[in-house]
């Protein structure tokens, strides 16, 4: 059980990866630039993660324009465009390989990514596991999960074999699945696992943001 003080500290050896190289076809515009109050969506996700993780690396598509980010934010590009989250995770882990032991992976379209949930997943990881992934709403959430940097080698091997499904990666390394009951202890509505995929999702998310 985490003490209150420990739960508020930034864990040592924990970085974060934010994937923003997707095509946003259903949204019809770049999600990174969606306004949320006085900031943009990518800025919001980076800000919230900075409470719990450092450094943070943003993985973009080749040549993709990004909003202004804090100067300490690392930015890297997908080596090959259009290979999905697997490519982005590998690029992010490579950027953090010598800086941290583990990284929380988030998509750009997660406006309610929650430092408390990140801390929970981090605390549940031991040396016995390479990935700690939430399971809620009937599915795994690999883009809201903790990855050990040593997962990089397996991710690179899969990419070399043109195996691009992140779900397949979970089955090839030591993975701990965390269920809804544990997740709800820190995020009762599981909002941290919600994504903004469509204009309707965006409007619903805006309604949740405190004025």
């Amino acid at each position: 059980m985490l003490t209150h003080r420990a739960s508020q500290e930034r864990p040592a050896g924990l970085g974060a990866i934010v994937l923003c190289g997707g095509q946003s076809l259903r949204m019809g515009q770049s999600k990174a630039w969606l306004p949320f109050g006085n900031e943009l969506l990518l800025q919001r996700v980076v800000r919230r993660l900075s409470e719990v993780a450092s450094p943070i690396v943003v993985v973009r598509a080749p040549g993709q324009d990004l909003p202004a980010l804090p100067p300490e934010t690392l930015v890297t590009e997908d080596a090959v465009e259009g290979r999905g989250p697997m490519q982005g995770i590998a690029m992010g882990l490579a950027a953090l390989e010598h800086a941290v032991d583990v990284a929380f992976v988030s998509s750009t379209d997660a406006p309610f990514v929650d430092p408390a949930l990140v801390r929970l997943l981090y605390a549940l990881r031991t040396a016995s596991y390479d990935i700690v992934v939430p399971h809620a709403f009937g599915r795994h959430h690999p883009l809201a999960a903790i990855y050990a940097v040593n997962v990089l080698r397996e991710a690179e091997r899969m990419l070399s074999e043109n195996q691009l499904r992140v779900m397949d990666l979970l089955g090839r390394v030591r993975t701990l699945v965390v269920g809804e009951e544990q997740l709800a202890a820190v995020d009762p509505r599981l909002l941290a696992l919600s994504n903004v995929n469509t204009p309707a999702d965006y409007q619903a998310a805006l309604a949740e943001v405190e004025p």
Side-chain angles (χ1 to χ4, degrees), residues 2 6-11 14 16 44-53 56 104 106 110-123 146 183 186-187 191-193:
L2 291 175
S7 69
Q8 300 307 307
E9 293 175 351
R10 182 186 285 170
L14 173 63
R44 176 184 173 89
V45 171
V46 168
R47 173 179 59 80
R48 291 171 73 92
L49 286 175
S50 69
E51 296 178 29
V52 70
I56 296 174
F104 179 80
S106 175
F112 304 108
V113 61
D114 190 343
L117 183 66
V118 179
R119 289 189 181 97
L120 172 67
L121 299 177
Y122 177 83
I146 295 283
L183 300 169
V186 296
D187 184 8
L191 274 177
L193 302 179

Side-chain angles (χ1 to χ4, degrees), residues 77-162:
E77 291 189 350
D78 285 325
V80 181
E81 192 168 6
R83 302 196 80 192
M86 180 73 83
Q87 177 78 78
I89 290 170
M91 296 304 300
L93 291 175
L96 295 176
E97 187 174 15
H98 301 296
V100 297
D101 301 315
V102 298
F104 179 80
V105 172
S106 175
S107 56
T108 305
D109 61 355
F112 304 108
V113 61
D114 190 343
L117 183 66
V118 179
R119 289 189 181 97
L120 172 67
L121 299 177
Y122 177 83
L124 291 173
R125 180 188 173 267
T126 67
S128 300
Y129 297 106
D130 302 308
I131 295 177
V132 182
V133 61
H135 184 275
F137 312 120
R139 63 185 181 88
H140 293 80
H141 295 263
L143 301 189
I146 295 283
Y147 290 72
V149 293
N150 61 25
V151 170
L152 174 61
R153 300 296 167 247
E154 190 61 39
E156 289 177 333
R157 186 176 299 112
M158 292 179 66
L159 286 166
S160 71
E161 298 167 353
N162 205 34

Side-chain angles (χ1 to χ4, degrees), residues 10 15 19 28 35 38 53 57 63-64 67 82 98 113 125 136 148 150 154 168-169 185 190 195 197 210:
R10 182 186 285 170
L19 307 180
N38 62 355
V57 58
Q64 180 183 3
H98 301 296
V113 61
R125 180 188 173 267
N150 61 25
E154 190 61 39
D168 292 340
L169 175 62
L190 303 181
N195 301 107
N197 291 311
E210 295 182 3

